[in-house]
Amino acid sequence: MADVEAAAAAKPNGKKETVEGFASESGDEEIGIVNKAQPLKQDLKNRHMQMIAIGGAIGAGLFVGSGSALSAGGPAALVIGYIIIGIMLLFTCQALAEMAVLFPVNGAFFTYVVRFIDPSWGFAIGWDYAISWLTVLPFELIAAGITIRFWREDINIGVWITVFLVVLSIIQIFGVRGYGEVEFILSMIKIIACTGFIILGIVINCGGVGDRGYLGAQYWHDPGAFRNGFNGFAGVFVVAAFSFAGTELVGLAAAESANPRKAIPMATKQVFWRIAFFYVVNLFILGLIVRSDDDRLLGASGANTKNSPFVIAIQDAGIKVLPSIFNAVITIAVISVANSCTFGSTRTMQALAERGMGPAFLAYVDKQGRPLWCIAIQIAFGFLAFIAESADSGKVFGWLLALSGLSYFFVWGSICLTHIRFRYAWQAQGYTLEQIPYKPTLGVYGSWIGLGLNILCLIATFYSALYPSPDATPSAEAFFQSYLAAPVVIALYLGWKVYSRDWRLYIPVEEMDLKSGARLHVPDPDEVIVGKTWGNLPMRIVRGLF
């Protein structure tokens, strides 16, 4: 078995620097970089990473989109669907965290896919991910404008789109630190709102407010726990995926974290609480106090906050001021997701350009660590939000969002597959698990579970795209509006294969680059390493989540 010294020595001109029990390997540039740029600023603190993990992507998908999922599948399908996606993402984020702590490099999972699976698949996943965030931004700006209509319908939505676009542009001036501070503040507000709704929901369910008395689980009996059979259940997955989108941003932020080996594992543990508390518990209580056959839920899409199941629950309880307060929370949540859009797309495009997989000018990073041309392109996409003033805006954005809805399953599945391939190569090249700074509780088995669940979700979504309801007949337009991301990914993959003339399906294990940017853990000679047994499994799970 090779130890840390041998690993460093194996690298031409390599040097090993040991700091606080970690050995960093330096010497050569990372393989594949053709447009080397200024390094990104490492300005994200531990508190920023915690809030990005626990509340960064909570937005209209949870507060509004969950209403359409409740209407389509019923309260039981809603909770079960979100639990399945949540378990899948828990394993995905833990796999990503292991690689992000070991390799805190620019591009995160895109870079890992290129290095450990195949450059063509990395090109496809990278651009699909970037395009999904590019197209989500105008949608979020429109959503933010629509939330204002809850109070004022007399002001043109274009005014509010302009205001939010200007605010978003100002945030970019402050670089990654601006992104971190804004997410820290807005995530705090969202966390307080989610916690408050859980308490309020329990009070409403017990008959503490309103004239409906004690509700208990009566809505699970009438109109029922499930609606529209398996079709309704399968339809929950796309809504849930959109709600959870952005969970992987913690890994993408590793290259700009001041202390990734400490911040990433702590932030990953917060993902469990985000899934269990802010999604599953909130939606379970929501299904207890809002009827799944309520006609108002049929309009729960985009940011139509008047049809938000959270707002409906508060209105039905007869509480006067609180609907406006919660609508303000939804507005803040939408702005937060728009802020995440800019971060996710710009960092991915910059990493793609560095590897020659995008226009060279996109690799430019200024002295403040800002990828300026990537930011300019993202802001330019924001101007598409003004299409909202046209009569065909709904159809246009239906197709734009079709690019993003399914993309996350490909990204999350690729992260799990990358971790599986990485672990296989790690062992084959003579490294030991003790040299990995952070290891998930279930190790590579968790990634196999995550990959399997991603594939099942893709199958269920394919079925739902063909048959959205039990009596539906297949429609080409309806299918591609749900499944458009799949042919886009395949086209990108084949396109880069033809361009690069590399027809290998995957990178051979012996050719995988496991050295560039690595931060290996140096075990303490006096450290007692406890083996994994069935007896200590419960405590290992606890330590992995807390």
Side-chain angles (χ1 to χ4, degrees):
M1 285 290 182
D3 57 11
V4 179
E5 287 76 12
K11 186 174 182 176
N13 302 320
K15 295 187 294 182
K16 177 173 68 66
E17 302 170 0
T18 304
V19 181
E20 296 181 2
F22 286 80
S24 63
E25 301 205 25
S26 58
D28 294 343
E29 294 290 347
E30 185 178 338
I31 296 172
I33 299 296
V34 297
N35 299 310
K36 186 62 179 174
Q38 291 271 352
L40 298 168
K41 287 282 186 180
Q42 295 180 325
D43 278 347
L44 287 178
K45 306 300 181 186
N46 191 30
R47 61 185 178 88
H48 298 140
M49 299 296 286
Q50 302 302 307
M51 284 301 161
I52 291 171
I54 201 168
I58 295 176
L62 172 66
F63 292 132
V64 182
S66 58
S68 62
L70 176 61
S71 176
L78 178 69
V79 173
I80 294 171
Y82 273 75
I83 287 176
I84 291 173
I85 300 292
I87 292 171
M88 177 185 75
L89 267 176
L90 183 61
F91 290 129
T92 301
C93 288
Q94 288 186 337
L96 179 59
E98 176 180 315
M99 295 184 289
V101 174
L102 182 59
F103 304 102
V105 296
N106 189 22
F109 52 83
F110 151 72
T111 302
Y112 307 147
V113 173
V114 170
R115 285 169 61 167
F116 305 142
I117 298 181
D118 175 55
S120 297
W121 188 248
F123 173 83
I125 293 301
W127 274 113
D128 183 56
Y129 186 73
I131 290 169
S132 69
W133 281 124
L134 286 171
T135 54
V136 165
L137 176 62
F139 167 80
E140 295 294 340
L141 291 172
I142 291 173
I146 292 175
T147 59
I148 305 297
R149 286 185 175 177
F150 187 85
W151 300 291
R152 295 287 300 270
E153 294 189 2
D154 58 321
I155 300 178
N156 189 288
I157 191 173
V159 174
W160 300 114
I161 291 173
T162 303
V163 170
F164 293 128
L165 194 57
V166 169
V167 170
L168 198 62
S169 301
I170 292 173
I171 293 172
Q172 306 315 307
I173 295 174
F174 300 97
V176 72
R177 188 62 180 268
Y179 163 72
E181 294 294 351
V182 169
E183 283 305 298
F184 180 80
I185 295 170
L186 299 187
S187 293
M188 283 288 291
I189 296 172
K190 290 187 284 186
I191 289 168
I192 292 170
C194 286
T195 306
F197 182 82
I198 289 173
I199 297 171
L200 176 64
I202 294 171
V203 173
I204 293 173
N205 185 259
C206 294
V209 293
D211 56 1
R212 289 182 293 177
Y214 175 73
L215 296 175
Q218 72 180 53
Y219 293 159
W220 283 56
H221 298 283
D222 179 25
F226 293 93
R227 285 169 57 85
N228 299 316
F230 180 76
N231 307 74
F233 177 70
V236 172
F237 288 116
V238 173
V239 179
F242 191 78
S243 301
F244 279 112
T247 307
E248 70 292 330
L249 286 175
V250 174
L252 197 63
E256 296 174 81
S257 171
N259 189 359
R261 63 177 176 256
K262 179 181 178 182
I264 298 294
M266 290 183 66
T268 302
K269 293 175 183 179
Q270 304 300 326
V271 172
F272 168 77
W273 292 107
R274 172 181 168 184
I275 293 168
F277 191 71
F278 300 118
Y279 284 93
V280 176
V281 176
N282 259 293
L283 295 176
F284 173 71
I285 290 177
L286 192 68
L288 294 176
I289 60 178
V290 177
R291 293 180 63 92
S292 58
D293 61 353
D294 192 313
D295 291 338
R296 290 172 293 180
L297 294 177
L298 297 175
S301 60
N304 192 358
T305 49
K306 290 184 178 180
N307 299 100
S308 163
F310 290 81
V311 174
I312 290 172
I314 297 169
Q315 287 175 332
D316 288 350
I319 305 172
K320 298 297 182 184
V321 181
L322 208 52
S324 290
I325 295 175
F326 211 88
N327 186 74
V329 170
I330 297 174
T331 306
I332 289 169
V334 170
I335 296 171
S336 170
V337 175
N339 190 35
S340 296
C341 287
T342 307
F343 180 80
S345 66
T346 55
R347 271 54 181 182
T348 305
M349 285 191 292
Q350 196 273 334
L352 281 158
E354 272 200 332
R355 286 186 169 271
M357 294 181 172
F361 71 91
L362 291 179
Y364 174 73
V365 176
D366 71 357
K367 292 181 180 180
Q368 282 71 45
R370 299 170 298 191
L372 291 184
W373 286 110
C374 296
I375 292 173
I377 289 176
Q378 177 67 88
I379 297 299
F381 263 79
F383 283 96
L384 288 174
F386 290 102
I387 294 176
E389 299 189 58
S390 72
D392 295 327
S393 61
K395 181 174 291 187
V396 171
F397 276 97
W399 284 107
L400 282 176
L401 289 176
L403 291 169
S404 62
L406 200 70
S407 298
Y408 303 108
F409 288 130
F410 286 104
V411 171
W412 299 332
S414 297
I415 290 171
C416 293
L417 180 59
T418 300
H419 183 241
I420 293 167
R421 290 271 296 159
F422 155 72
R423 278 291 192 94
Y424 181 68
W426 189 259
Q427 184 179 16
Q429 292 191 20
Y431 291 88
T432 66
L433 292 180
E434 286 71 28
Q435 292 171 271
I436 299 177
Y438 169 78
K439 297 179 285 292
T441 305
L442 296 184
V444 73
Y445 298 109
S447 294
W448 278 110
I449 295 171
L451 178 61
L453 289 175
N454 267 287
I455 294 172
L456 288 176
C457 288
L458 284 170
I459 294 171
T461 306
F462 181 85
Y463 179 81
S464 177
L466 286 175
Y467 304 100
S469 61
D471 56 347
T473 55
S475 163
E477 182 176 351
F479 174 80
F480 283 109
Q481 280 198 337
S482 297
Y483 228 76
L484 183 62
V488 169
V489 168
I490 294 171
L492 288 169
Y493 172 74
L494 294 177
W496 190 256
K497 281 290 184 190
V498 173
Y499 176 80
S500 64
R501 299 181 183 276
D502 181 2
W503 301 107
R504 297 181 301 179
L505 289 177
Y506 52 84
I507 299 174
V509 169
E510 62 274 8
E511 294 183 21
M512 285 190 193
D513 176 19
L514 298 179
K515 295 185 177 69
S516 300
R519 299 293 182 268
L520 305 183
H521 173 59
V522 181
D524 188 335
D526 300 325
E527 182 182 355
V528 178
I529 300 175
V530 180
K532 294 183 178 180
T533 65
W534 287 107
N536 62 24
L537 177 62
M539 283 308 301
R540 285 191 285 119
I541 293 174
V542 169
R543 283 193 294 269
L545 298 177
F546 296 92

